[in-house]
Amino acid sequence: MTTCNLTLSEGAEHSVRTSPVLIPACCTMRAKASDMPSKDCVKVAVRVRPFNKRERDAGSRCIVSMVTSSITIQDPRESQSRRTFSFDYAYWSHSSFAQDSGGLYVPEEPGGRYADQNSVFQDLGEGILENALQGYNATLLAYGQTGSGKSYSMVGYGPNKGLVPKLCDRLFQAIRENQDTRQCQVFFSMLEIYNEQVVDLLSRGSRTPGGLRVREEQQRGFYVEALRTVPCDGATQVEQLMEQGTRTRTTAATNMNANSSRSHMLIILQLKQIFSKESITKQSNINLVDLAGSERQRSSGSEADRLKEGAAINLSLTTLGNVISSLADVAVGKKVVHIPYRDSVLTKLLQSALGGNSRTLMIATLSPADICYEESLSTLRYAERAKRIQNRAVVNESPTERLVKELKAENARLLQRLSRLGHEGRRANDETKELRQLLTHNELQIRAIQTLWEQHLQEALKDWEQQYANITQERRMMQMHPYVLNINEDAQLSGVVKLFIEEGDWHIGLCDSSPRSISIKGLGIQERHAVFRNEQRRVTLTPLAGSKVIVNGNTVFHPTELQHLDRLILGSNCTYLFIGYPSERGGDDWSRYDYDYFQSELAAAEGIHLGDSSAGSSHTDPSLLAVFYDYVKLMPMVAEANQMSQELDKGHDLQKELVVRVTSLGSKQVWMWSKAKFVNRKFLMEDAYQQHHVENSGDNRIEGLSTAASSRDKDPFWDPMEPVLLGTAHLWLQSLAFRIPLEEQLEVHLSVLIDEHSQICFIISCWQVLGSEGTEEAILQAQLLPCTSTGFPMGEDDILIDPSELLGRRLDFQLLLEQCCGLRWIREVRNRGVQIGFRLFNCLQPLYSPAVWHNVNPLLDHRVHFASLLTSQRLLDYLQSSAVVLELWGLQEGCTDLTSSLEGVRMTTEGIFIIEEAGLTDPALVDSPELGFSSRALQRDLEQLQSVNASLRKENQSLREQLNAARTGGEGVHGRSLRPSCDAEFARSLKVFYHSMTSVRGQLQRLRRRRPSEESDLLGLRLFVDEQNRLLRDFSEQLEQSVSTLKQDVAAIVRRKRERSGIWS
């Protein structure tokens, strides 16, 4: 009989509730004496996935490139900043693929670079299987941010099976191929770690409060107590167990209001191979770990939050990172006093996989989109540290066969001794009785060891038959009745739960005692939430009093007839898709109705939609799509937080503005939380909510006492008072490059914060920035005034035609904030104030205007003088292409005014802010001596030209005065003909010079962008250097020729002008 065995811990028999005879220490695994531990580094693979719909709609660009096993990632904000990493395996699954008739994703061309699921399995899965068959423990860790493709690589979708199902298929295939030489047993376990609690996903009973306990024994190490392990004899049975575990995971996520992307899932296979002829038993643990989304371990970016989520939710990944860092330091010879395995449940269970007795692989998945740069770079750094870890794997031999052999030998000796006593005829009744008891006990032990596997397998087969009967019943019901199926944020958990609606009336809600009720659990679900009525093949849904029901994005209050593929949301966020009678279904594909579709529909009902552009139209502004998707992502979380606030009687209202605005209904105090901070707080609210229910359930209910009503310092709904960013306006600086004054009346609207990387505005018309509701905060009057070093405004004669005339000269200007009008912030509550914040060029810290209070139309009259002592090209480019962002900050009672930090800022004794003291060389020019020399020569020539230009201006002024003084017609005619002639010649020369300099600048840009190919060998690099030198010479010659031509033209003009001006002398 062919047998197999998969488990989560080494002591699989512990959780199968076997007889005590199998628990002695002799049954634990130990290394063969002949196998000395060898050092094996953790092997790391990296896989790059295709763009998802959100990234495509947002116009993302690929910032990741791959050459063999090296990966290079480019900073989207700085094209010259690149990081290269090398790994054991690198898989390009981003592009160059097609879908065949069977639904498999394959390379577009045979031998193409696209890495499909088979390619990944051949490298990683076959290696794990080979190690397990040799008797080694093997571990595969999947790491990456949420949505980066971890689940696709581990489990797969549809016909594109992932590593786990392929590994199971190959495992049982190998067992069948070797059944003549060995007997194999396979046990399967599946668990989830969420909030530092272990959940058995195969448990047939109710969930243990607080989760299963993780214990430690000297010989077994860490293991999960009472974890269910199921014997398996085929891949089909393993697949069914995985479906059962996924169903349990889905139900738990709904009931606990938990997010699956924040949990770790472990699948454990225990393979036991019995070689009868050699009397050897090899036992291997295969751990397949799908880790939580890696972006969750970051602490809200740069956001400092008083309450840290890491107390429980975030602990496992943080500790895993600490363990990997410590082991990486050990590998390079650093002295590490302590490796924190015991700091979290996850690292306890993975101790053997990290630095212990296991051969370990890690697959790190990442997105190549520019909007995921920070997460992708963090993943690559994490994986780079992991590949330095060294394990000490050994072949594991179980003493079970030795025990049987020793028991048989002892029985033979006992029988021989009994026979000898009988032949001698001695009276040894007492001794004979004792020997027979020992013989009987040993025979029972042998029989128990040999029959245990068959018994366990028969029990598992009975369970499997019951599950198969349930599946058959479910499929039969699907062909007879309408039903609703769950839609989850994790695509792996969608479509798992089906609730059938038979004929008659069915109450849906928390109630589970009524014979005609459908029991569901979730946030905001009432005891009796709604009624389904199935009558004459028509299904209607009727909300009950106090319940929240949404159909196709719209809240309903009256009976509503459901149509096939209608979208239902019950309570805060329990999402279901209605499937009608079989006659209505046809060939519809319901997979497009994913979680994002539900939330986009809700946003559209609230007036937040992109029209046709939401489908990915080419006319859609990518920044609008980015804001829209972030808004959609926050919507369900805000709804859940509001529901928890209501049930905990907190009296807070959280509104969706992409930054979450929290208002205390009693004191009217306001907090503005970023997306990262709100996500952090939302999970702390969940903890308070769950603790509240624990304290007020059953006999434990204590009147007036609740952890949720604890001290304010630990209240996730409260924060100390801080200034609130009300909105922004942009004041463009281009006029300063021409020394033209600018006076603007700016409309300040709500700011829309997208994520940790950027700030995006909805541009509707000039200066107008709209938030989610387009509410206007204020009108701000501001001016930009070019001035002299003493602060006097400049006149029309100081206006420049060419901004380059500012190069190397001093530039002074003033920013004047005159008045704010119609402040909605103060109109709502009079005891509030405002300040204006801004920063310019290389000012590291913002500057603030004085605070004004209690006035809806305050007069600011705040003037700031800035000066550049030596204007550079960098500052000139900044003025011509950038704007100063004016931030409107709201003040409220209890918070302090914002103050300008002058650290690192240079000021004159007159209070003038110095924004530039010396001309800055372009960093790209510093890398090339020839370019740097040419740039300095050009700078000197420009200074000479500016000096010549100044003398020409004086000379022109002198000529103008002489022309005005001349009264004779001949002189007048001569003067009028001379001036246009000289000015026209000079204009033509400048035009030719600017045209040639445009060509030179284009060549300089091409030189700066040129980079050698990542695939270039030594010969290719030499050719690149030679070509680069040739281009540098051409650039230098063209630059010198342009400047020389201009010098000659200007000199000729000046000479002719002086010759002709002699007639007036």
Side-chain angles (χ1 to χ4, degrees):
M1 178 177 176
T2 302
T3 52
C4 304
N5 174 11
L6 287 152
T7 187
L8 180 67
S9 61
E10 297 178 359
E13 60 273 7
H14 182 277
S15 57
V16 189
R17 296 176 176 82
T18 60
S19 58
V21 72
L22 289 184
I23 303 184
C26 61
C27 291
T28 58
M29 294 187 298
R30 68 176 181 84
K32 293 198 309 184
S34 59
D35 290 335
M36 295 300 293
S38 60
K39 292 183 179 180
D40 297 301
C41 288
V42 173
K43 295 188 181 299
V44 177
V46 174
R47 192 177 191 186
V48 181
R49 66 156 171 79
F51 286 148
N52 57 27
K53 181 179 184 298
R54 174 180 179 178
E55 292 163 349
R56 289 194 303 269
D57 290 347
S60 299
R61 61 185 181 91
C62 180
I63 58 171
V64 174
S65 59
M66 185 182 297
V67 178
T68 59
S69 60
S70 296
I71 290 182
T72 300
I73 184 169
Q74 173 188 323
D75 189 340
R77 296 159 298 191
E78 177 54 60
S79 59
Q80 305 302 321
S81 176
R82 296 170 181 263
R83 290 287 305 275
T84 299
F85 303 85
S86 295
F87 300 101
D88 298 284
Y89 307 96
Y91 301 108
W92 183 262
S93 301
H94 174 65
S95 58
S96 305
F97 62 90
Q99 192 172 18
D100 64 11
S101 57
L104 286 173
Y105 292 107
V106 295
E108 286 181 337
E109 300 177 357
R113 68 182 304 201
Y114 175 74
D116 58 8
Q117 297 284 62
N118 284 331
S119 301
V120 177
F121 177 76
Q122 287 173 5
D123 289 338
L124 306 183
E126 291 287 0
I128 292 174
L129 180 62
E130 181 181 352
N131 288 329
L133 292 175
Q134 291 176 1
Y136 293 100
N137 293 332
T139 301
L140 175 63
L141 303 171
Y143 181 86
Q145 71 178 110
T146 300
S148 63
K150 296 192 308 296
S151 297
Y152 178 79
S153 297
M154 292 290 284
V155 181
Y157 297 106
N160 298 279
K161 291 185 177 181
L163 285 165
V164 176
K166 284 181 176 290
L167 178 63
C168 293
D169 288 340
R170 284 286 294 113
L171 174 62
F172 287 102
Q173 180 183 342
I175 289 172
R176 290 191 297 270
E177 293 172 353
N178 296 280
Q179 59 185 347
D180 295 335
T181 60
R182 71 194 73 175
Q183 180 188 15
C184 296
Q185 301 174 1
V186 177
F187 279 84
F188 178 89
S189 297
M190 189 173 180
L191 62 86
E192 180 182 49
I193 301 174
Y194 178 78
N195 202 10
E196 282 301 284
Q197 296 182 5
V198 178
V199 180
D200 186 353
L201 297 179
L202 301 182
S203 175
R204 288 171 291 191
S206 59
R207 176 177 174 177
T208 304
L212 301 181
R213 299 183 64 180
V214 176
R215 293 187 176 274
E216 182 183 16
E217 288 185 359
Q218 183 176 0
Q219 294 175 330
R220 293 175 62 184
F222 290 104
Y223 68 96
V224 179
E225 185 181 42
L227 180 70
R228 186 180 179 215
T229 59
V230 182
C232 303
D233 65 350
T236 304
Q237 190 176 359
V238 171
E239 184 177 350
Q240 180 57 43
L241 288 170
M242 288 179 62
E243 289 186 12
Q244 177 186 343
T246 303
R247 184 186 297 269
T248 304
R249 194 180 184 198
T250 304
T251 305
T254 303
N255 295 349
M256 292 297 296
N257 194 43
N259 189 331
S260 64
S261 67
R262 302 178 66 82
S263 65
H264 314 283
M265 184 183 71
L266 281 74
I267 292 176
I268 302 140
L269 301 170
Q270 188 181 57
L271 171 64
K272 183 177 181 180
Q273 304 172 87
I274 303 172
F275 299 84
S276 302
K277 293 182 180 180
E278 296 85 353
S279 297
I280 294 175
T281 298
K282 293 181 180 180
Q283 187 161 319
S284 308
N285 287 335
I286 306 175
N287 301 302
L288 306 172
V289 187
D290 188 354
L291 296 171
S294 60
E295 76 280 358
R296 302 300 186 184
Q297 74 170 343
R298 295 184 298 108
S299 59
S300 304
S302 59
E303 187 81 31
D305 193 356
R306 178 178 51 86
L307 299 177
K308 297 298 181 184
E309 180 192 355
I313 292 282
N314 209 25
L315 180 61
S316 290
L317 267 184
T318 303
T319 305
L320 180 61
N322 295 336
V323 168
I324 288 177
S325 296
S326 299
L327 292 173
D329 290 341
V330 171
V332 297
K334 292 184 179 180
K335 184 178 180 181
V336 177
V337 177
H338 172 64
I339 298 175
Y341 288 114
R342 298 175 179 273
D343 289 359
S344 76
V345 170
L346 177 67
T347 49
K348 286 179 181 177
L349 297 179
L350 293 182
Q351 182 173 6
S352 63
L354 299 172
N357 178 21
S358 176
R359 288 185 170 174
T360 302
L361 287 168
M362 172 186 283
I363 180 169
T365 57
L366 53 91
S367 164
D370 51 359
I371 60 176
C372 299
Y373 168 74
E374 296 291 346
E375 287 81 1
S376 297
L377 180 60
S378 174
T379 299
L380 291 171
R381 287 172 172 165
Y382 201 94
E384 186 179 41
R385 291 197 303 270
K387 73 179 184 181
R388 295 200 292 259
I389 297 176
Q390 294 180 344
N391 290 348
R392 291 172 173 79
V394 296
V395 175
N396 301 292
E397 178 186 341
S398 171
T400 304
E401 291 301 310
R402 184 181 294 106
L403 174 63
V404 174
K405 188 175 181 180
E406 291 173 354
L407 289 172
K408 287 182 177 180
E410 185 177 354
N411 281 0
R413 290 194 300 271
L414 290 172
L415 287 172
Q416 186 178 4
R417 187 175 178 184
L418 284 172
S419 175
R420 189 168 56 252
L421 287 173
H423 288 309
E424 293 176 357
R426 297 179 181 177
R427 301 182 59 85
N429 292 335
D430 294 340
E431 186 178 359
T432 301
K433 184 178 180 181
E434 181 181 354
L435 291 175
R436 291 188 181 280
Q437 289 177 348
L438 287 172
L439 180 63
T440 303
H441 178 69
N442 288 347
E443 289 177 347
L444 288 174
Q445 281 189 300
I446 294 172
R447 190 178 301 115
I449 292 173
Q450 292 176 337
T451 61
L452 179 65
W453 163 250
E454 286 78 4
Q455 292 175 359
H456 288 168
L457 187 60
Q458 290 300 320
E459 293 175 4
L461 288 175
K462 290 180 182 179
D463 288 344
W464 188 84
E465 290 173 357
Q466 180 62 43
Q467 293 173 16
Y468 183 79
N470 294 337
I471 294 172
T472 304
Q473 173 70 7
E474 182 179 272
R475 291 175 178 171
R476 187 179 64 84
M477 296 280 286
M478 291 171 63
Q479 299 304 317
M480 295 175 56
H481 304 289
Y483 59 93
V484 294
L485 55 84
N486 75 300
I487 302 297
N488 195 280
E489 185 176 5
D490 186 346
Q492 293 272 352
L493 306 184
S494 290
V496 175
V497 177
K498 300 177 181 67
L499 307 175
F500 294 96
I501 306 170
E502 301 181 50
E503 292 283 341
D505 291 350
W506 293 85
H507 286 83
I508 186 170
L510 297 175
C511 55
D512 53 6
S513 57
S514 172
R516 299 189 65 82
S517 64
I518 301 173
S519 178
I520 63 171
K521 293 182 180 180
L523 198 59
I525 299 297
Q526 308 294 322
E527 187 72 20
R528 293 183 179 271
H529 199 87
V531 177
F532 283 110
R533 170 167 293 180
N534 185 352
E535 190 175 56
Q536 298 179 355
R537 300 181 68 84
R538 297 172 60 186
V539 178
T540 58
L541 176 62
T542 304
L544 298 181
S547 64
K548 181 180 179 181
V549 176
I550 297 175
V551 178
N552 299 335
N554 299 305
T555 304
V556 297
F557 303 96
H558 307 289
T560 303
E561 183 176 349
L562 299 180
Q563 304 297 326
H564 178 54
L565 297 182
D566 274 352
R567 282 76 61 199
L568 314 178
I569 301 180
L570 307 179
S572 293
N573 203 30
C574 295
T575 51
Y576 296 94
L577 185 68
F578 175 72
I579 306 297
Y581 276 97
S583 59
E584 304 173 29
R585 297 172 195 173
D588 296 327
D589 179 17
W590 59 266
S591 61
R592 72 186 185 96
Y593 297 105
D594 57 7
Y595 186 81
D596 285 344
Y597 188 97
F598 278 64
Q599 302 306 325
S600 299
E601 200 169 47
L602 271 180
E606 294 183 8
I608 310 300
H609 61 85
L610 300 175
D612 295 335
S613 63
S614 61
S617 170
S618 59
H619 300 291
T620 305
D621 183 354
S623 62
L624 295 183
L625 282 164
V627 174
F628 176 75
Y629 280 122
D630 257 19
Y631 183 85
V632 164
K633 187 175 181 180
L634 279 178
M635 283 179 57
M637 303 180 74
V638 174
E640 293 167 5
N642 272 325
Q643 182 65 39
M644 288 184 282
S645 173
Q646 178 181 337
E647 295 192 27
L648 293 173
D649 196 23
K650 287 293 180 180
H652 288 73
D653 178 32
L654 284 72
Q655 299 178 0
K656 300 179 291 292
E657 296 175 353
L658 288 189
V659 287
V660 181
R661 182 187 179 108
V662 185
T663 305
S664 173
L665 299 180
S667 63
K668 299 298 181 183
Q669 293 174 328
V670 176
W671 298 270
M672 299 291 283
W673 289 348
S674 68
K675 180 182 71 174
K677 186 171 184 177
F678 166 69
V679 170
N680 180 34
R681 289 302 182 91
K682 190 257 184 182
F683 289 102
L684 292 169
M685 295 174 190
E686 287 180 357
D687 291 342
Y689 178 80
Q690 293 169 8
Q691 184 65 28
H692 169 77
H693 274 272
V694 169
E695 294 176 350
N696 291 275
S697 60
D699 298 334
N700 295 328
R701 181 161 185 154
I702 303 175
E703 187 69 22
L705 180 62
S706 174
T707 304
S710 59
S711 65
R712 190 172 65 173
D713 289 339
K714 296 182 179 180
D715 186 354
F717 292 88
W718 182 86
D719 247 354
M721 287 294 97
E722 295 179 348
V724 177
L725 178 60
L726 303 176
T728 59
H730 289 69
L731 184 61
W732 293 95
L733 304 171
Q734 188 175 15
S735 64
L736 291 177
F738 299 89
R739 291 206 297 219
I740 299 175
L742 175 69
E743 182 175 357
E744 288 289 342
Q745 183 170 288
L746 307 176
E747 297 175 346
V748 184
H749 291 258
L750 286 178
S751 294
V752 184
L753 296 181
I754 301 188
D755 53 24
E756 299 86 354
H757 308 305
S758 59
Q759 184 173 5
I760 300 295
C761 309
F762 286 78
I763 304 299
I764 304 300
S765 61
C766 186
W767 314 116
Q768 191 170 28
V769 184
L770 291 181
S772 58
E773 299 175 357
T775 51
E776 181 184 279
E777 286 292 331
I779 300 294
L780 175 62
Q781 296 176 3
Q783 294 186 44
L784 285 172
L785 303 172
C787 63
T788 64
S789 59
T790 56
F792 289 98
M794 288 186 171
E796 293 182 0
D797 292 339
D798 298 301
I799 294 176
L800 301 177
I801 304 301
D802 183 7
S804 63
E805 294 181 32
L806 284 173
L807 288 173
R809 300 171 59 184
R810 173 166 176 151
L811 172 65
D812 291 79
F813 63 94
Q814 294 178 345
L815 172 62
L816 174 60
L817 305 176
E818 296 183 277
Q819 186 175 14
C820 261
C821 301
L823 281 166
R824 189 168 68 93
W825 170 254
I826 298 181
R827 192 165 56 240
E828 292 174 349
V829 179
R830 281 286 178 174
N831 61 346
R832 291 174 174 173
V834 294
Q835 283 182 273
I836 306 294
F838 53 92
R839 70 180 75 190
L840 261 167
F841 195 44
N842 56 1
C843 294
L844 300 179
Q845 301 296 330
L847 305 175
Y848 296 97
S849 66
V852 289
W853 292 80
H854 319 303
N855 194 338
V856 178
N857 304 302
L859 184 64
L860 303 175
D861 196 23
H862 182 61
R863 188 185 301 261
V864 184
H865 188 158
F866 297 92
S868 169
L869 303 184
L870 189 64
T871 303
S872 67
Q873 185 64 47
R874 179 166 166 257
L875 176 60
L876 204 58
D877 293 340
Y878 171 79
L879 295 178
Q880 294 183 86
S881 61
S882 303
V884 57
V885 179
L886 303 174
E887 299 175 339
L888 179 63
W889 289 88
L891 307 176
Q892 46 193 332
E893 284 189 342
C895 72
T896 57
D897 297 354
L898 295 167
T899 57
S900 302
S901 174
L902 301 182
E903 183 179 356
V905 177
R906 187 183 170 196
M907 294 179 62
T908 66
T909 55
E910 295 82 10
I912 301 174
F913 288 84
I914 307 300
I915 59 175
E916 192 174 54
E917 297 186 59
L920 298 177
T921 304
D922 192 326
L925 300 178
V926 177
D927 298 335
S928 170
E930 295 184 37
L931 284 176
F933 175 78
S934 300
S935 177
R936 289 191 294 273
L938 178 60
Q939 184 72 22
R940 288 195 299 270
D941 291 338
L942 284 174
E943 291 174 357
Q944 293 176 7
L945 290 173
Q946 288 167 0
S947 176
V948 172
N949 193 17
S951 64
L952 287 175
R953 282 175 175 272
K954 292 180 180 179
E955 206 162 4
N956 283 341
Q957 181 65 27
S958 175
L959 290 172
R960 190 179 296 112
E961 292 175 356
Q962 293 182 34
L963 284 172
N964 291 334
R967 299 301 181 186
T968 61
E971 290 179 343
V973 173
H974 184 70
R976 283 192 298 272
S977 64
L978 174 64
R979 181 184 170 191
S981 174
C982 293
D983 288 350
E985 289 178 5
F986 187 67
R988 279 195 298 269
S989 299
L990 287 179
K991 184 176 181 181
V992 171
F993 175 70
Y994 289 141
H995 180 74
S996 61
M997 288 306 296
T998 301
S999 176
V1000 170
R1001 183 177 297 176
Q1003 193 167 351
L1004 176 60
Q1005 294 298 330
R1006 287 192 293 273
L1007 282 169
R1008 293 173 61 185
R1009 288 195 297 267
R1010 288 192 81 244
R1011 291 290 185 275
S1013 172
E1014 296 175 353
E1015 301 177 0
S1016 299
D1017 53 10
L1018 182 58
L1019 178 60
L1021 290 175
R1022 287 176 178 171
L1023 293 175
F1024 172 80
V1025 171
D1026 293 340
E1027 179 66 13
Q1028 190 79 347
N1029 289 334
R1030 185 186 65 79
L1031 293 175
L1032 282 171
R1033 286 194 298 271
D1034 293 345
F1035 169 77
S1036 179
E1037 291 172 0
Q1038 189 174 354
L1039 183 62
E1040 291 176 2
Q1041 183 180 358
S1042 299
V1043 176
S1044 177
T1045 301
L1046 180 61
K1047 284 181 179 179
Q1048 294 172 6
D1049 291 343
V1050 172
I1053 293 171
V1054 172
R1055 185 172 58 253
R1056 285 195 296 271
K1057 231 179 171 186
R1058 286 176 177 172
E1059 291 173 355
R1060 295 174 184 177
S1061 64
I1063 59 175
W1064 290 297
S1065 57

